[in-house]
Each structure stands twice: as C-alpha cells, then as structure tokens.
Amino acid sequence: MADELLAYRDRFPTLARGPYFAAHTLGPMPDTVPGALAAFAREWADQGVVAWHGWLEQLRATAAVLEGLFNAPAGSVALGPNVSVLAGQVLSCFDWDGERSRLVTTDLEFPTCDYLYRAQETAGAKLEVVPSRDLAVDLDRLLEAIDHQTALVAVTHVAFRSSALLDAAAVVQRAHQVGALVLLDAYQSAGTVPLDVAALGVDLVVGGSVKWLLGGPGTGYLYARPEVAATLAPRLVGWFGHQAPFAFEPSPIAFAAGAGRFVTGTPNVAAHVMAAEGYRIVAEAGVDAIRAKSRRQVARLLDGFAAQEATVRGPADPDRRGGSVVVDFDGAEQVTEGLIARGYTCDYRPGAGLRLGPHLYTTDDECDAVVAEVAELRGL
C-alpha cells in the first residue's frame, strides 16, 4: 500500500542530510519557516508598532490550529514561551496548606516538570512521586495514590526515556472521582499520538513546539478546560493575561477569559509564527494517519531489534508506546555516535539507550537500514 504521508518529505530540507530519527527531541524544520520569519521581519520593518494588529491575529490563528488538533473549544489554548513558564503558572494557582495538599506525580517526568513539582514542597505541597516499573508508569500504584487529599495529578502522557504511553483516561477518571485536577504533559505525544481533550475530559495540558509538532524552539502551549480555567487565578501573571491588555489598567488584574489568563508578558511573535508552520503540516496530514504509520514503523523497528536481542525500554506493544523506539545494549552510546557519523540523526539517553523516532516523512527502507547499521556497528 502506498504511503501517502511520504508526500511531505520534500517539505523538510534537513532530510537531505540523511535519515532523520530525532523528532522526539527536535523536529526538522518545515520549508515554509524561512518565508514566515521573513514576512514577520518585513511587517516589523514596514509597519513598526502598527504590525501588532496583524501579529495578534496570527497568534490567535496559531492557537486555533492547536485547538483543532486537540478537539478543544475556541479560547481554551494559550501560547507561551515554554512548559517551565506555563506549568509554573498552573502550579501558582494552588494553595497547598488546605485540606487538599497533595500533588501526585511519577518518577518518569521530564526534568523541567520534575524540578517544578518537587519545588512545590517549599510552598507546602505534600508531594508523592509514584515509582515506575521498567520505565513505564505503574498504573495501579498511581491510581491508588490519588485520594481525597489530592489537589493535582501531574503526569507525562509519554515518557521521554522509554516512550511508554500512559493510560490517561484512567488517571483522569480516578482524579475526578476524588475531586482532583489533572495536568497532562503532552510534549512527547502531541503530533504523533491523537489527543482529544474533550473526550478525555482532562483539565490541563502543557506541551510545546520543539518535537513531533515540528514547530522549532520557542513556543509552549497550555490547554485549560473552560470550566476549570474560570476557577484558576495564577500568581505568575503578565499584562497580556489581562482581558484588555492595551487598556494598560492598574491592579488588580482582570483576567482574560479562558486560557487567556495564562498568557504572561509580551509574546515571542516570531517563535509562534515559526511554530505555526509545523502545526499546520501535522494538522493537514492528520494525527490519526500519523499514528497509524507510527505504530507500523515502531513495530518494524522493534521486530528488528528483537532479532538482535536488544533490550527494549518501555512496552513491547506499539499500541502502548508513543512514537519512539528506545533500545539498549552494551555499547549503545558508542553505536549512537557511530550512527550519527554515518548520517543517521538520532540520540542516546543515559539509563535508557538509543532513541529512534520515525515520523510522517520516514520510509520503511530507512527503518530497515538503521537496524542493519546498528547490527554492523555492534559486530553482529
């Protein structure tokens, strides 16, 4: 069967260097990004401050693309600089000295989030870090940890070290049973795993542009379920989070509606304009189609490495994984370096192994070739 997604290969100049298996760390640049940035520069040069009128429309359009990708209502996605700021804003909404003083998370979180969650202990939070099993969330232990004293469950959708996929629906269901909120880190899933926030009922989602969404560095996003957003008042605020920022009103802040209250200071327009180019490609290709291809190629890679008796990190079932394959073996770091020297863009993570992330532009031949290269580098 023809792979229709390969029609997008020509959209990524980086692929001329060789097979690109690193969308889980930095997606390749779409070919329209230079033109989008040049247009931004022309608008600034030609219009000066008047350019803000058009830029505000572009920011709203960028957020709308994400809302479409996530099946989220209009006004429920805010753009920001990164997850550190956006997740930090969410955490700033909580008072940890009341009856609900517990923050439940896992030991698989990306360092940014891990640092943030643990820092809440200095503000009075009672933190529970649920240990993983074989670099995957121990779902039973996680669900058991969520009780009536829990204010927030903050967990990653896909673990960056193993690509293990969380049963987010089970977590949301349990949290809502006891009146807790859920903050889902979708950085390693959005763009390669479908995420329907309405069907899931999740309260808050953070992520960013760098990885599978192909948007480059500089843009984070926060989804806030409208009913939840109306109850939250971040302490980390900025003038763009005001309902009428250009009115320049003094305190107290009148929060913007919906997720808009989580916008802080002056936005990085250039980064958001750049990110939109990748978001549009993912939306046009369709995450369902990307996921179907990803499952197939992940299975192909896993089969190849199983024949080499490599250790698979995370579940062996492609349906329980995100878009990456993570395998370990003696000399995995050196083999990764060898692959890079041979033109295969990939990476290595300590305690995990070689990471390979096929995306919509990857061919089956490239998957087979990288497995063969690993075998040769290992002397098998």
Side-chain angles (χ1 to χ4, degrees), residues 8-20 28 361-362 366:
Y8 291 94
R9 278 182 68 87
D10 291 341
R11 299 292 310 276
F12 301 98
T14 310
L15 300 186
R17 298 181 66 251
Y20 198 91
Y361 42 72
T362 307
E366 287 173 329

Side-chain angles (χ1 to χ4, degrees), residues 167-259:
D167 184 349
V171 174
V172 170
Q173 181 181 33
R174 173 57 184 163
H176 288 178
Q177 283 176 348
V178 298
L181 299 180
V182 174
L183 171 63
L184 188 67
D185 172 13
Y187 220 137
Q188 281 288 353
S189 61
T192 191
V193 177
L195 177 59
D196 185 330
V197 296
L200 186 59
V202 67
D203 304 294
L204 301 145
V205 176
V206 289
S209 56
V210 173
K211 304 181 188 299
W212 304 101
L213 287 172
L214 308 170
T219 294
Y221 58 81
L222 168 66
Y223 161 77
R225 187 158 60 93
E227 310 91 284
V228 170
T231 69
L232 298 178
R235 296 184 180 91
L236 176 56
V237 295
W239 71 293
F240 257 80
H242 191 280
Q243 65 183 10
F246 290 94
F248 305 106
E249 293 179 355
S251 296
I253 186 172
F255 284 115

Side-chain angles (χ1 to χ4, degrees), residues 3 162 252 262 270 338 353:
D3 184 347
S162 64
F262 291 101

